[in-house]
Amino acid sequence: MTIKRLDPVSGHLLLFLIILLSFCRLFPLILMKRLLALGIFSAMVLSACQPATGDTIKLGYIGPVTGDAAALGKDMLHGVQMAIEEANAKGGVNGTKVELVAEDGRCNGTDGASAAQKLVNIDRVIAIVGGLCSSETLAASPIAEAGKVVLLSPGSSSPAITTEAGDFVFRNYPSDALKAVAMAKYVKQKGYKKIAIISENTDYCTGLRDAVVKQVGAAGFVFNEAVEPGTKDFRTLFTRLQKMDFDAFITNANSDGIIAVMVQQFREQGFTQPIIGADTADSQVVVDTGAAAQGMQIINVPTAGEGKAFEKTFTDAFGKPQSSIAWGAYAYDAANILLKAVADAGADGTAMKDALYKMTYTGIVGTIHFDKYGDPVGIPYVVKEIKDGKIVTVQDLPIN
Amino acid sequence: MQLLINALIAGSFAALLAGGLALVYGVLGVFNLALGQSVLFGGYITWWLTQVAGWPILPAIAGGILSGALLAWFTFEVFIAPFYKHHRFLPLVTTIAWSMILDGIILLLFEERARSILPGTRRLIRLGAAHITVQQIVLIVVTLLLLCIVAWVLHSTSFGRRIRAVAEHPQAALSLGIPSPVLHRILFIVSGILAAAGGIFLGIDQNLSPAFSFPLTIRAYAAIIAGGKGNIWGAIICAYAIALLEQLVVGVHWFGFFYVPAGFQATIALLVIIVFLIVRPQGLFSSGRRTA
């Protein structure tokens, strides 16, 4: 409460001191947190630079700004920034300017939780966009829930968010339970009977794997292994795969950098089987592996924001997207959905939550509404293929 | 066969790091926790020279190695030399700070997306049932040559003897006319070169991302502990041995009926550290007698 009465600059100074002190106390943890400290510091400098206009609405952001998934997180952050700049250019929401407080969730639960703690309890944001990674969102949601702050994730797809996260947690990105249905349908269409899958041991990847295995049936999987997050050497596993008979390979990693390596090593060992990927494979980084990625099938939501005015505005402001314009589009929509909820219902968490359950929103990615679990309804799936250095959509994959 | 090749690839990378670490920590007794960042830095400079500045690959690699050497020199002058003489554990703190700064610099300069030094198609060679690419053969051979030269110079020449004398007692060495400050710097620069070479290896064989560079060094530490402090040959051999062990544990069909889950692969290096610290803390290759 006392922090609230201070002017913004000294408020941030005080915050910085608190963080500094807690860092001294947690010295051994500094190794783990060193990038986070950098992120907090830069976020504070950024927010301190914004003109102090007295009362502002604070919107929080959680996403990986550093680490393996940072390319995706950066695009999302830019999408949110774009939405806020546009809102402020129109005079803000109900006449109040919007201010962004960005935190680095580093694509893991620990940092996701501490980011949420800071946003909810210190910054007292009205709502949070994020996280990108399911680990971040799952860790942040109980904190948002307890503080009665709406959390809207533009990128987390773990089925666990449907079942475990509470009333205040929404997402405008569909659950992997649906993607698994789409993938199973695709596998059946193609007639693949024996599938090999390698997953990274993260919430997103294990969630997707379990859902796909459930949909296809465990008998369809001849090889199912999980590796430590961040592993970039899959040669041993591919050597084991060498002795097996399989029809298709599913690459299931948390970030595009890892998928690129996996695809490259798969082809280097002489495999000719088709490769199937999901949303994290839908990235220029994977395309850049050249011949290795040629013909790769990606099952994902339709490309969002590409070739529209949105892409031009985005690229003019932030340069070429680090991973894919789609992440910017989902985050842009998420921020706008929250700002609309504030405009409709005021800056009260419970009122915003009720407004969101009733809202139908048409944004860059399509027209959606939320079901009773806070999951989006109205986003279809498509099959894309990497063809001669480009990702092209080859077929629709309706899931009803 | 394929397992052996896999181990050679993974082991070569680990051995480059272990060699660099063995020079600084094993011989000089200084901790350099910014080593993982030097690896990324050397790799990223090479990536930038080839992909952005458009240099051919060989000068770009030379540039990357030069940048690694300069970075190591800078690290030594600013973050280690002023503190080392007061207490040998002080650089532990200063190099942590430096590694944080470097992480930030790498992020600012090279952005977040994953970078590959030689993107695109590889030429596959078949050796019986096994596969290897031309690039991997070159990487393995060059790594072995580089490491053997460093280890040979340190253990079998008079120059190497002087370096080890400096490591043992800088003042005594100085009084015998050995320029120990110069040799300290040379040792650091060579470790920087090995680290940068490791980064280039990683950038060519896999890709570079500004992720936590710390896990990179864990295997190197395991190799040093297993190989014995101060013995570069030991560190190199153990780096390859640990890589082979990692491949065997996960890749072999144990007793004909079960596979060890792949998630355990990363724990092998840590297990090696623990086992050696309990059973043979002085390492495999350190002998009681002094080698001159």
Side-chain angles (χ1 to χ4, degrees):
Chain A
M1 277 298 123
T2 44
I3 292 177
K4 235 181 172 178
R5 284 199 207 108
L6 290 171
D7 64 290
V9 175
S10 45
H12 285 120
L13 272 176
L14 193 67
L15 186 67
F16 185 49
L17 274 175
I18 293 170
I19 290 165
L20 209 69
L21 282 174
S22 57
F23 264 79
C24 295
R25 200 166 55 80
L26 300 170
F27 183 73
L29 283 178
I30 283 190
L31 273 182
M32 307 290 195
K33 303 261 174 167
R34 56 195 190 196
L35 283 173
L36 181 68
L38 210 74
I40 290 176
F41 185 69
S42 51
M44 276 176 18
V45 171
L46 277 178
S47 53
C49 287
Q50 280 166 2
T53 48
D55 262 351
T56 54
I57 297 175
K58 280 188 186 169
L59 191 65
Y61 169 84
I62 302 174
V65 188
T66 57
D68 261 329
L72 290 65
K74 215 42 189 284
D75 292 338
M76 274 181 43
L77 179 59
H78 287 156
V80 176
Q81 282 171 341
M82 195 171 141
I84 289 179
E85 274 162 30
E86 284 178 10
N88 284 339
K90 285 182 204 143
V93 176
N94 296 342
T96 319
K97 294 272 187 211
V98 185
E99 183 188 338
L100 176 67
V101 188
E103 288 294 323
D104 190 358
R106 297 200 55 226
C107 202
N108 68 56
T110 323
D111 289 306
S114 52
Q117 283 289 5
K118 178 179 172 282
L119 291 175
V120 170
N121 296 321
I122 298 175
D123 292 313
R124 299 195 170 271
V125 296
I126 50 144
I128 297 171
V129 180
L132 165 67
C133 298
S134 300
S135 316
E136 291 170 339
T137 308
L138 283 168
S141 40
I143 298 160
E145 197 74 23
K148 295 200 187 309
V149 171
V150 171
L151 182 130
L152 173 52
S153 165
S156 300
S157 54
S158 169
I161 294 171
T162 308
T163 49
E164 286 172 22
D167 271 355
F168 284 84
V169 179
F170 296 80
R171 54 180 159 185
N172 64 338
Y173 194 77
S175 163
D176 282 336
L178 291 176
K179 194 191 301 157
V181 175
M183 277 180 123
K185 195 168 172 184
Y186 177 78
V187 164
K188 202 178 273 174
Q189 242 175 40
K190 290 279 178 182
Y192 298 140
K193 293 270 182 282
K194 294 171 218 145
I195 301 166
I197 183 169
I198 295 182
S199 317
E200 220 180 328
N201 200 359
T202 63
D203 283 343
Y204 158 73
C205 294
T206 50
L208 176 61
R209 178 198 62 197
D210 294 347
V212 172
V213 169
K214 197 176 140 203
Q215 288 296 332
V216 176
F221 286 83
V222 289
F223 186 85
N224 183 349
E225 275 283 2
V227 295
E228 272 306 285
T231 303
K232 279 190 179 172
D233 190 341
F234 301 97
R235 295 188 183 98
T236 332
L237 291 176
F238 288 145
T239 306
R240 259 168 60 183
L241 205 50
Q242 209 69 266
K243 302 183 195 100
M244 286 176 184
D245 172 34
F246 64 102
D247 306 325
F249 172 63
I250 299 181
T251 157
N252 182 20
N254 219 65
S255 62
D256 46 7
I258 307 256
I259 290 188
V261 173
M262 211 194 282
V263 167
Q264 183 98 48
Q265 292 175 358
F266 182 75
R267 290 293 181 224
E268 274 173 13
Q269 301 239 333
F271 292 108
T272 50
Q273 283 89 342
I275 308 176
I276 305 168
D279 36 4
T280 44
D282 195 347
S283 160
Q284 190 57 39
V285 174
V286 179
V287 177
D288 285 342
T289 54
Q294 173 77 1
M296 183 172 170
Q297 306 286 310
I298 299 164
I299 289 153
N300 197 7
V301 293
T303 311
E306 209 164 72
K308 292 182 191 161
F310 172 78
E311 187 179 22
K312 196 181 170 309
T313 326
F314 187 94
T315 319
D316 287 349
F318 306 107
K320 238 179 92 185
Q322 298 278 322
S323 165
S324 156
I325 187 80
W327 298 114
Y330 276 96
Y332 176 82
D333 275 2
N336 277 329
I337 289 171
L338 288 176
L339 293 178
K340 185 166 185 287
V342 181
D344 291 351
D348 172 66
T350 313
M352 276 174 75
K353 175 200 76 174
D354 295 338
L356 280 174
Y357 280 115
K358 286 181 212 132
M359 188 187 289
T360 300
Y361 183 84
T362 305
I364 306 291
V365 298
T367 302
I368 62 158
H369 65 272
F370 296 102
D371 68 7
K372 62 178 173 169
Y373 303 108
D375 280 346
V377 181
I379 295 176
Y381 279 93
V382 294
V383 181
K384 302 177 190 180
E385 187 178 324
I386 297 183
K387 218 180 231 168
D388 306 320
K390 280 207 176 69
I391 301 177
V392 289
T393 305
V394 287
Q395 73 170 97
D396 287 331
L397 212 56
I399 36 163
N400 293 315
Chain B
M1 182 65 189
Q2 185 70 51
L3 284 178
L4 202 66
I5 291 174
N6 296 345
L8 268 177
I9 299 168
S12 298
F13 174 61
L16 278 173
L17 292 194
L21 201 65
L23 278 178
V24 173
Y25 170 68
V27 177
L28 215 53
V30 180
F31 293 91
N32 179 10
L33 291 174
L35 197 78
Q37 279 76 10
S38 328
V39 170
L40 284 184
F41 194 78
Y44 268 116
I45 292 283
T46 312
W47 166 80
W48 189 84
L49 288 174
T50 49
Q51 301 295 315
V52 181
W55 290 22
I57 183 76
L58 284 177
I61 288 176
I65 286 182
L66 186 70
S67 74
L70 287 176
L71 185 74
W73 190 21
F74 180 79
T75 306
F76 183 78
E77 293 293 346
V78 179
F79 294 92
I80 291 172
F83 309 101
Y84 176 55
K85 49 181 175 272
H86 297 299
H87 194 286
R88 58 181 284 254
F89 282 146
L90 271 179
L92 189 69
V93 182
T94 52
T95 52
I96 289 178
W98 176 227
S99 70
M100 292 183 207
I101 297 170
L102 269 180
D103 268 336
I105 291 175
I106 289 173
L107 259 181
L108 281 178
L109 287 181
F110 303 108
E111 301 183 315
E112 290 81 0
R113 79 190 90 162
R115 310 285 198 184
S116 180
I117 292 175
L118 281 179
T121 321
R122 310 289 160 90
R123 263 188 57 203
L124 271 181
I125 293 179
R126 279 180 161 275
L127 297 170
H131 298 84
I132 189 164
T133 66
V134 180
Q135 284 88 345
Q136 284 162 353
I137 295 175
V138 175
L139 286 174
I140 292 170
V141 171
V142 172
T143 304
L144 276 173
L145 269 179
L146 194 64
L147 287 171
C148 287
I149 292 171
V150 170
W152 178 76
V153 166
L154 194 77
H155 283 287
S156 310
T157 63
S158 67
F159 179 72
R161 193 158 56 233
R162 266 183 252 160
I163 287 181
R164 282 177 292 135
V166 167
E168 207 154 276
H169 203 299
Q171 278 79 21
L174 200 58
S175 71
L176 288 171
I178 299 171
S180 61
V182 178
L183 288 182
H184 272 164
R185 279 162 184 77
I186 290 177
L187 220 50
F188 244 84
I189 288 170
V190 174
S191 88
I193 288 173
L194 289 181
I200 296 165
F201 190 111
L202 196 66
I204 291 177
D205 186 48
Q206 302 173 6
N207 59 22
L208 301 158
S209 53
F212 228 21
S213 2
F214 223 60
L216 295 180
T217 39
I218 286 184
R219 243 184 299 181
Y221 268 104
I224 287 183
I225 288 167
K229 197 169 166 263
N231 190 321
I232 299 213
W233 286 116
I236 294 169
I237 292 167
C238 287
Y240 280 103
I242 290 170
L244 184 62
L245 195 65
E246 285 185 342
Q247 302 290 327
L248 287 179
V249 165
V250 177
V252 167
H253 203 205
W254 286 101
F255 314 115
F257 70 94
F258 83 100
Y259 280 113
V260 175
F264 289 102
Q265 193 167 29
T267 54
I268 289 163
L270 295 168
L271 264 178
V272 167
I273 293 185
I274 293 170
V275 168
F276 269 92
L277 285 179
I278 292 172
V279 178
R280 202 178 153 84
Q282 72 273 33
L284 268 185
F285 291 87
S286 73
S287 54
R289 73 191 169 85
R290 286 205 182 144
T291 49

